[in-house]
């Protein structure tokens, strides 16, 4: 329960950062998708049912702040979560570069799912050209954000709770990599 | 059979879950123009935090901007005495007030020119995703703002309200891919539909035989039932009269600078 609340608080912080702070700091309309990084992290470290329900709930919350299609982000984030769960037994989840790779792949999957859901189900104009144009910037921003978050979170844990065991964080610490 | 089920259970259950989520999204598209309780809750919870943060960040940014301009001024004018520097500080601060004044005066003139009741609102947040174009304003149902109301500034059309909670609302900008406005060319009255494409607009369904020039002004036609007639949408940026087909390909540059959107007016009329 505590962990769920922490995840919800982190999601809330991510949404506030993406809607208020990052648009002021970054030029243009692109901003890193911090919620996507959280969903990938959940995919690596949470059980399918608990994580799946939480991710779907996060998607519905995300709908309140992004776009005008209720249920769209629930579908997209759940798709990304299930894709990560699908490969989690076949890869070394204790590697931090894996998280960065998954964030990159997750960004491509996210934009593909957005385009699929809008082009096939809604009456909007095709969003593909816009997506293709913005995808390289989005990939770079998400990658950089994941890298910074990874380093920052590990530093926070080492500094403030060196003996603590936050889920997944010790595994992502480069000291434990061979 | 049991072995097959055990082996493929995660895949099948995952697929079913995803399909259900897709179906739920598809069903919800019918209620796309209404605010559901979850969205209302999110707006209610995040709105006040965003409003406070926006004020704090704007304040810090202004102070930082003033500080930077001061540093530059000192570097450029080393011989200026302390009195001049403090006067310059005051001037810089009053510049900000003057600019805000000018913006609000423009908005006020526009407000007085409107026959429809208008409500000024402040933009407090942007869309959380890079793929959509919406902004959040600090007025909601308590102030009379409901879904479908047009939002404008003195320069032209901004968008329409798509979600509203008691104190906050979200506005779909005309540059969003899901936005479409019934429009016409002010000069020759050729009709079409302006659709959002990220930073700019495309003006669809204008017949090939219509004479369209770069720089022509595009205004709302009032046919869509959301926007009143005659509001400026933008200016024609590029025209491609294709060899085949019924219509021309026209790009339109929006008249509103969406990267510097601070104050807007909500036209207090519902969709007709």
């Amino acid at each position: 329960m505590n962990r769920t609340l922490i995840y919800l608080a982190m999601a809330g912080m991510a949404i506030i950062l993406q809607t208020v702070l990052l648009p002021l700091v970054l030029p243009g309309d692109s901003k890193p998708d911090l919620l996507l990084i959280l969903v990938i992290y959940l995919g690596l470290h949470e059980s399918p049912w608990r994580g799946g329900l939480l991710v779907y709930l996060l998607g519905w919350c995300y709908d309140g702040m992004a776009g005008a299609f209720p249920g769209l982000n629930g579908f997209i984030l759940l798709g990304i979560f299930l894709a990560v769960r699908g490969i989690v037994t076949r890869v070394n989840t204790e590697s931090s570069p894996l998280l960065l790779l998954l964030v990159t792949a997750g960004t491509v999957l996210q934009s593909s799912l957005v385009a699929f859901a809008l082009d096939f189900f809604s009456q909007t104009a095709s969003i593909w050209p816009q997506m293709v144009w913005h995808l390289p910037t989005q990939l770079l921003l998400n990658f950089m954000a994941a890298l910074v978050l990874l380093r920052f979170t590990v530093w926070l844990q080492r500094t403030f709770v060196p003996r603590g065991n936050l889920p997944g964080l010790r595994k992502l610490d480069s000291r434990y990599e061979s | 059979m049991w072995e097959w089920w055990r082996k493929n259970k995660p895949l099948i259950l995952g697929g079913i879950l995803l399909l259900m989520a897709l179906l739920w999204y598809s069903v919800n598209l019918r209620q796309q123009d209404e605010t559901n309780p979850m969205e209302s809750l999110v707006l209610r919870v995040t709105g006040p935090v965003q409003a406070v943060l926006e004020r704090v960040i704007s304040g810090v940014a202004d102070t930082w901007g003033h500080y930077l301009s001061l540093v530059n001024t000192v570097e450029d004018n080393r011989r200026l005495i302390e009195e001049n520097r403090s006067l310059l500080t005051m001037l810089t601060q009053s510049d900000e007030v003057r600019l805000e004044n000018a913006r609000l005066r423009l908005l006020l003139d526009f407000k007085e020119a409107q026959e429809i009741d208008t409500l000024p609102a402040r933009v407090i947040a942007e869309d959380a995703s890079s793929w959509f174009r919406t902004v959040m304003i600090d007025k909601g149902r308590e102030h009379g703002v409901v879904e479908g109301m047009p939002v404008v500034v003195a320069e032209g059309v901004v968008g329409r309200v798509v979600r509203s909670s008691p104190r906050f609302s979200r506005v779909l900008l005309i540059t969003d891919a899901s936005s479409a406005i019934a429009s016409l060319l002010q000069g020759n009255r050729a009709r079409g539909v302006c659709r959002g494409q990220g930073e700019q607009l495309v003006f669809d369904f204008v017949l090939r035989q219509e004479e369209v020039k770069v720089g022509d002004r595009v205004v709302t036609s009032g046919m869509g039932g959301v926007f009143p007639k005659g509001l400026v949408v933008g200016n024609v940026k590029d025209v491609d009269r294709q060899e085949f087909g019924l219509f021309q390909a026209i790009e339109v540059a929006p008249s509103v600078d969406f990267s510097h959107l601070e104050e807007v007016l909500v036209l207090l009329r519902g969709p007709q």
Side-chain angles (χ1 to χ4, degrees):
Chain A
M1 188 63 189
N2 279 347
R3 233 162 56 207
T4 307
L5 287 177
I6 289 171
Y7 288 138
L8 285 173
M10 284 167 73
M13 275 171 58
I15 287 176
I16 299 282
L17 277 174
Q18 282 170 226
T19 52
V20 183
L21 185 63
L22 294 175
L24 289 173
V25 178
L26 298 168
D29 291 312
S30 297
K31 62 209 80 154
D33 199 331
L34 305 176
L35 210 58
L36 171 77
I37 300 169
L38 180 64
V39 166
I40 286 169
Y41 175 79
L42 285 172
L44 288 173
H45 300 289
E46 284 298 328
S47 66
W49 287 109
R50 180 199 175 100
L53 281 174
L54 183 63
V55 163
Y56 196 57
L57 177 70
L58 290 182
W60 271 91
C61 292
Y62 203 31
D63 281 327
M65 301 306 302
F69 301 95
L72 174 68
N73 284 302
F75 161 67
I76 289 164
L77 294 184
L78 186 64
I80 294 166
F81 174 80
L82 290 174
V84 175
R85 289 301 314 168
I87 59 158
V88 86
T89 52
R90 300 186 185 98
V91 292
N92 173 20
T93 57
E94 297 184 11
S95 156
S96 48
L98 177 78
L99 182 75
L100 300 176
L101 183 72
L102 285 180
V103 167
T104 309
T107 308
V108 177
L109 181 61
Q110 184 191 35
S111 52
S112 308
L113 287 174
V114 171
F116 164 75
L118 293 188
D119 280 4
F120 283 87
F121 290 86
S122 77
Q123 294 175 332
T124 60
S126 182
I127 199 168
W128 271 110
Q130 196 185 320
M131 290 251 163
V132 172
W133 180 252
H134 281 105
L135 192 56
T137 317
Q138 194 61 42
L139 280 170
L140 184 68
L141 283 172
N142 285 356
F143 183 87
M144 293 306 291
L147 192 65
V148 169
L149 275 178
L150 197 60
R151 306 247 172 222
F152 181 64
T153 320
V154 169
W155 175 82
L156 272 183
Q157 193 205 3
R158 272 191 210 171
T159 313
F160 296 107
V161 273
R163 287 162 187 264
N165 192 18
L166 294 172
L169 273 185
R170 286 178 75 88
K171 291 177 187 172
L172 292 171
D173 191 332
S174 58
R175 288 180 300 173
Y176 299 96
E177 289 176 355
S178 55
Chain B
M1 183 67 183
W2 179 244
E3 190 58 32
W4 180 87
W5 166 249
R6 267 184 56 188
K7 197 177 169 188
N8 295 299
K9 192 175 138 191
L11 191 70
I12 293 166
L13 288 180
I16 290 171
L17 267 179
L18 198 60
L19 195 64
M20 280 169 64
L22 184 62
L23 282 175
W24 189 241
Y25 154 70
S26 172
V27 168
N28 270 292
L29 280 174
R30 292 183 188 173
Q31 283 94 44
Q32 194 187 340
D33 294 332
E34 295 164 22
T35 310
N36 64 44
M38 186 62 153
E39 289 171 321
S40 181
L41 180 73
V42 172
L43 285 177
R44 264 191 249 189
V45 171
T46 57
V49 183
Q50 286 169 321
V52 169
L53 259 178
E54 194 268 340
R55 294 247 173 210
V56 170
I57 291 167
S58 300
V60 170
D62 282 352
T63 313
W64 181 244
H66 293 153
Y67 169 74
L68 281 184
S69 70
L70 254 183
V71 169
N72 290 337
T73 310
V74 169
E75 281 174 1
D76 293 343
N77 307 283
R78 286 178 189 171
R79 285 170 297 169
L80 281 177
I81 55 174
E82 195 63 32
E83 188 185 341
N84 280 349
R85 197 159 61 181
S86 67
L87 280 174
L88 193 66
T89 314
M90 285 170 67
L91 193 67
T92 316
Q93 283 169 350
S94 67
D95 262 359
E96 186 61 31
V97 175
R98 187 176 54 78
L99 285 171
E100 189 175 6
N101 227 336
R103 274 201 321 267
L104 292 175
R105 189 180 296 277
L106 202 66
L107 211 57
L108 190 67
D109 288 346
F110 181 73
K111 177 183 160 82
E112 281 166 0
Q114 292 298 310
E115 289 168 359
I116 307 162
D117 284 343
T118 55
L119 179 76
R122 183 179 278 270
V123 175
I124 57 166
E126 284 188 20
D127 197 289
S129 163
S130 302
W131 309 123
F132 304 106
R133 302 283 179 271
T134 65
V135 291
M136 195 157 152
I137 56 171
D138 64 349
K139 296 289 186 294
R141 280 202 296 272
E142 280 178 6
H143 310 93
V145 179
V146 293
E147 293 90 347
M149 284 182 169
V151 178
V152 297
V153 288
E155 290 80 15
V157 183
V158 170
R160 67 185 162 90
V161 176
V162 285
R163 299 286 179 269
S164 66
S165 71
R167 295 180 61 192
F168 301 94
S169 303
R170 271 178 62 221
V171 178
L172 183 77
L173 302 182
I174 58 169
T175 47
D176 188 276
S178 59
S179 166
I181 310 174
S183 313
L184 53 83
L185 285 165
Q186 201 171 41
N188 64 5
R189 318 306 283 175
R191 289 181 188 280
V193 174
C194 260
R195 289 180 179 277
Q197 250 197 354
E199 277 86 38
Q200 58 190 13
L201 310 161
V202 284
F203 194 20
D204 284 338
F205 310 122
V206 177
L207 293 170
R208 275 191 68 229
Q209 59 264 33
E210 299 285 0
E211 191 63 40
V212 185
K213 294 189 296 293
V214 171
D216 280 356
R217 179 171 282 185
V218 181
V219 296
T220 53
S221 69
M223 298 288 281
V226 174
F227 297 95
K229 192 174 181 176
L231 294 172
V232 181
V233 175
N235 292 87
V236 173
K237 191 179 162 192
D238 189 42
V239 185
D240 182 10
R241 188 172 290 180
Q242 292 148 346
E243 279 189 45
F244 303 102
L246 281 173
F247 308 112
Q248 314 184 37
I250 302 170
E251 278 182 25
V252 175
S255 56
V256 176
D257 181 2
F258 291 103
S259 59
H260 295 98
L261 209 54
E262 290 178 61
E263 297 93 10
V264 294
L265 284 178
V266 183
L267 303 185
L268 295 175
R269 60 167 243 177
Q272 304 296 299

